[in-house]
């Protein structure tokens, strides 16, 4: 019972994060519209340095909000580092900081770059998306820019897993994978030995763009 409640609370928290992401996205879109209007008015009024700095500050706030939305949606260390870097850069550019504060800010950004380069595992730099087994592989290649091999383009994810992933006595098991260059397919959810959800994992360090036909 306790574990069940934990799972339900976790699911609710994920939905709350999604709702917050949508609300912030709407706010960012509205802020962008107002930013364009402010730009037109500012250019017509021959702005001074203070006005330009104020405009840049608002633009930086919108960028930070966009990175925050990514962090809520992806939950990866990379998105967290990007939010911190943009926040530090905004403080240095918009605020009138002293040379010592600038040095500290630059050092902090350098540390964040070093953390991302040397401490993050390669597997951290991935995108994960859940699909149904009935989803066409060709559609997935186009949708999320992943490189599932061409010979499987006419098939579904379920067809591929049925053909290349070995079943156990009880059918498929959560965690079974099929690997390809730049990514993998992982069994995410199983009901009565049958796959009901498949996770498509894409390594962002491997550049890939679907071929146009």
């Amino acid at each position: 019972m306790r574990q069940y409640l934990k799972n339900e609370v976790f699911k609710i928290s994920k939905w709350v994060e999604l709702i917050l992401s949508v609300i912030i996205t709407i706010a960012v879109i509205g802020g962008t519209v107002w930013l364009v209007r402010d730009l037109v008015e500012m250019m017509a009024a021959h702005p001074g340095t203070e006005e330009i700095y104020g405009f840049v500050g608002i633009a930086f706030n919108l960028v930070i909000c966009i990175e925050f939305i990514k962090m809520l949606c992806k939950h990866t260390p990379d998105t967290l580092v990007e939010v911190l870097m943009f926040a530090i850069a905004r403080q240095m550019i918009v605020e009138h900081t002293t040379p010592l504060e600038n040095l500290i800010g630059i050092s902090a950004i350098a540390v964040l770059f070093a953390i991302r380069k040397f401490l993050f595992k390669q597997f951290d730099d991935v995108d994960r998306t859940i699909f149904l087994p009935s989803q066409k592989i060709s559609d997935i290649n186009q949708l999320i820019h992943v490189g599932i091999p061409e010979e499987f383009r006419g098939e579904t994810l379920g067809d591929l897993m049925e053909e290349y992933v070995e079943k156990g006595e009880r059918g498929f098991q959560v965690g079974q994978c099929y690997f390809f260059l730049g990514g993998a397919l992982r069994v995410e959810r199983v009901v009565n030995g049958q796959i009901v959800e498949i996770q498509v994992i894409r390594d962002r360090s491997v550049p890939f763009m679907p071929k146009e036909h």
Side-chain angles (χ1 to χ4, degrees):
M1 183 65 180
R2 182 178 178 182
Q3 186 62 40
Y4 172 79
L5 290 175
K6 286 183 178 180
N7 293 337
E8 292 302 310
V9 170
F10 179 76
K11 291 179 182 178
I12 292 173
S13 68
K14 299 290 285 185
W15 278 105
V16 171
E17 282 187 345
L18 179 61
I19 293 171
L20 285 175
S21 299
V22 173
I23 293 174
I24 297 173
T25 301
I26 295 172
V28 169
I29 294 173
T32 303
V33 173
W34 284 100
L35 190 67
V36 173
R37 189 206 64 173
D38 291 343
L39 174 62
V40 174
E41 293 179 352
M42 184 179 67
M43 296 303 295
H46 304 288
T49 303
E50 292 297 327
E51 289 78 7
I52 294 177
Y53 270 110
F55 178 83
V56 172
I58 295 173
F60 257 111
N61 288 337
L62 293 175
V63 172
I64 292 172
C65 286
I66 293 172
E67 295 301 322
F68 183 68
I69 293 169
K70 293 180 182 179
M71 185 179 69
L72 289 176
C73 294
K74 290 189 175 181
H75 295 145
T76 61
D78 193 55
T79 56
L80 175 59
V81 169
E82 287 179 356
V83 170
L84 294 175
M85 286 194 296
F86 275 111
I88 295 172
R90 181 200 181 282
Q91 185 71 18
M92 292 173 55
I93 295 174
V94 177
E95 303 294 333
H96 297 289
T97 54
T98 64
L100 177 60
E101 291 172 336
N102 289 337
L103 178 61
I104 294 173
I106 293 171
S107 301
I109 292 176
V111 170
L112 290 174
F113 271 112
I115 289 174
R116 185 167 65 176
K117 181 174 179 61
F118 297 108
L119 297 185
F120 286 0
K121 296 179 181 179
Q122 184 177 3
F123 196 69
D124 289 333
D125 193 26
V126 298
D127 287 326
R128 300 177 177 87
T129 311
I130 303 297
F131 290 98
L132 297 176
S134 58
Q135 185 71 46
K136 290 284 187 180
I137 291 175
S138 57
D139 295 337
I140 293 173
N141 281 343
Q142 293 289 332
L143 182 63
I144 61 174
H145 295 175
V146 72
I148 302 175
E150 292 290 327
E151 56 264 32
F152 305 125
R153 287 180 64 84
E155 300 181 6
T156 65
L157 290 177
D159 294 335
L160 188 154
M161 300 300 279
E162 287 280 352
E163 186 174 355
Y164 288 93
V165 177
E166 183 179 353
K167 291 184 181 180
E169 295 181 359
R170 299 182 180 180
F172 289 101
Q173 301 296 319
V174 173
Q176 289 182 294
C177 293
Y178 168 81
F179 295 93
F180 56 90
L181 179 62
L185 304 179
R186 179 182 181 276
V187 178
E188 181 69 17
R189 187 182 173 204
V190 174
V191 174
N192 297 326
Q194 298 298 314
I195 301 175
V196 295
E197 288 183 352
I198 296 175
Q199 184 182 73
V200 179
I201 303 172
R202 181 177 73 90
D203 184 355
R204 284 180 287 171
S205 66
V206 177
F208 173 81
M209 288 297 291
K211 296 179 181 179
E212 296 185 3
H213 297 277

